[in-house]
Structure formats: C-alpha cells, structure tokens
C-alpha cells in the first residue's frame, strides 16, 4: 500500500457526510449500481457474476477476508465522489493541508551548517499551493516516491525556510525513515 496516497485518501474521507455501506450485500449493491451491472463488478473483484448476484440478493452475507478487503477498498474509492472533489478543491484553493509526521529529516546546505539528519516530529500546516501539488500528483497517478518528494519540498519551504525568511541557501530536504504520517484538511 501507498503511505502517502493512503494518507491523502484518509484525509479526504474525513469530509464524508454519510458512512459508507458496511455489510457485504450493501457494498455489493452499491458497486452494482455504480458500475451499472453485475458483470463489471465480477470482473473488478475477480469473482463470478453469479456470486455477485447472490450477494446482491442477500444469499451470501460473509465474504472471504481477501474479497472483503477488495470490496471495502473499491467501495471507499467510489464513495461520495462530489464531496471528495469538494474537499480536495477547498484544500487546494483556500484551506491547505496539515501534515503530521515523525520521520528522519535532514537537508543539503553550504559547508559549516548543521545538516545532519535526525528524527523529528513535525505538525506543519502547508499552504493551499502545496496541497494542490500533492492532490494533482496523486490524481495523475504519482507513486509514493514522487509524493514524498513533493512533501519534502513543501516542508523545506514552509518549515525550514519559513516562507523565505531564513535558510535561503538550503538546497534539498531529505525526508526518510517515516515512522508516522497523517494528513488532515
């Protein structure tokens, strides 16, 4: 799983106004409605079309653990798309995003500065332009490494350089050994 991608998704999911369906039959009915047919759901979940129909009718109520995980993931991915888009838009234009992390942070700087990596626990409010970059990269299918680099650049600008008021010669921030990462809108 993707640490940064899942973290961004979890932050957006906090904006949901209604809970997603919990039972397997309700989740299956939701997916059938979204994908407009049992065949598409069967292909998506890699099960037979008849099995999907039995879930929809309520004949099967408890899926195998691997199927339950796939079903949950697919429902969450599609749940309340308009509210999800609105939350991302708000974060990217006015609200920004808060990153809470415990990781090893260091930087590349001129000779004579203390640029050694050390574990830090940071809670930093990133301005909307950084939230927009993170969400745009996620939408474009960026991997965890690219999202990590974008977050490192944002931390360099906001935390280390304080918006240009200090450490102007700071070149690069190393953001590694992530122990904890959480985003909030």
């Amino acid at each position: 799983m993707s640490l940064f991608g899942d973290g961004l998704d979890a932050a957006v999911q906090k904006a949901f106004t209604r809970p997603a369906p919990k039972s397997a039959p309700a989740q299956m009915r939701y997916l059938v409605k979204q994908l407009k047919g049992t065949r598409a759901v069967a292909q998506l979940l890699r099960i037979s079309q008849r099995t999907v129909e039995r879930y929809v009718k309520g004949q099967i109520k408890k899926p195998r653990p691997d199927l339950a995980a796939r079903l949950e993931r697919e429902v969450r991915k599609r749940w309340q798309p308009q509210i999800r888009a609105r939350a991302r838009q708000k974060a990217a234009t006015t609200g920004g995003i808060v990153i809470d992390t415990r990781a090893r942070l260091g930087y590349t700087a001129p000779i004579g500065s203390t640029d050694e990596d050390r574990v830090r626990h940071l809670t930093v409010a990133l301005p909307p332009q950084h939230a927009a970059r993170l969400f745009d990269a996620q939408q474009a299918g960026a991997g965890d490494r690219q999202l990590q680099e974008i977050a490192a650049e944002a931390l360099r600008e906001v935390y280390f350089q304080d918006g240009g008021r200090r450490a102007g010669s700071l070149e690069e921030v190393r953001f590694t050994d992530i122990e904890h990462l959480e985003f909030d809108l």
Side-chain angles (χ1 to χ4, degrees), residues 46-121:
R46 299 185 307 273
I47 57 177
S48 72
Q49 185 175 354
R50 179 69 186 127
T51 303
V52 172
E53 293 167 357
R54 291 173 61 203
Y55 274 106
V56 169
K57 288 181 181 177
Q59 294 173 343
I60 304 176
K61 295 185 185 327
K62 185 96 170 98
R64 303 180 314 267
D66 61 323
L67 177 59
R70 286 194 311 259
L71 188 58
E72 175 78 20
R73 186 176 58 247
E74 294 301 328
V75 168
R76 284 219 176 264
K77 191 188 301 183
R78 290 169 175 76
W79 188 248
Q80 293 191 329
Q82 293 170 334
I83 290 177
R84 183 186 306 263
R86 198 175 317 133
R88 284 185 172 145
Q89 182 65 29
K90 181 181 176 198
T93 56
T94 58
I97 193 167
V98 175
I99 182 172
D100 179 43
T101 186
R102 179 169 168 78
R104 183 169 296 282
L105 289 154
Y107 49 87
T108 305
I111 306 284
S113 64
T114 59
D115 60 353
E116 181 129 356
D117 294 358
R118 66 177 183 257
V119 175
R120 301 173 196 241
H121 181 231

Side-chain angles (χ1 to χ4, degrees), residues 28 31-50 52-53 74 78:
M28 202 64 78
L31 284 178
V32 168
K33 186 177 179 184
Q34 290 296 306
L35 299 176
K36 298 177 178 31
T38 56
R39 179 175 293 163
V41 174
Q43 289 173 345
L44 177 72
L45 298 174
R46 299 185 307 273
I47 57 177
S48 72
Q49 185 175 354
R50 179 69 186 127
V52 172
E53 293 167 357
E74 294 301 328
R78 290 169 175 76

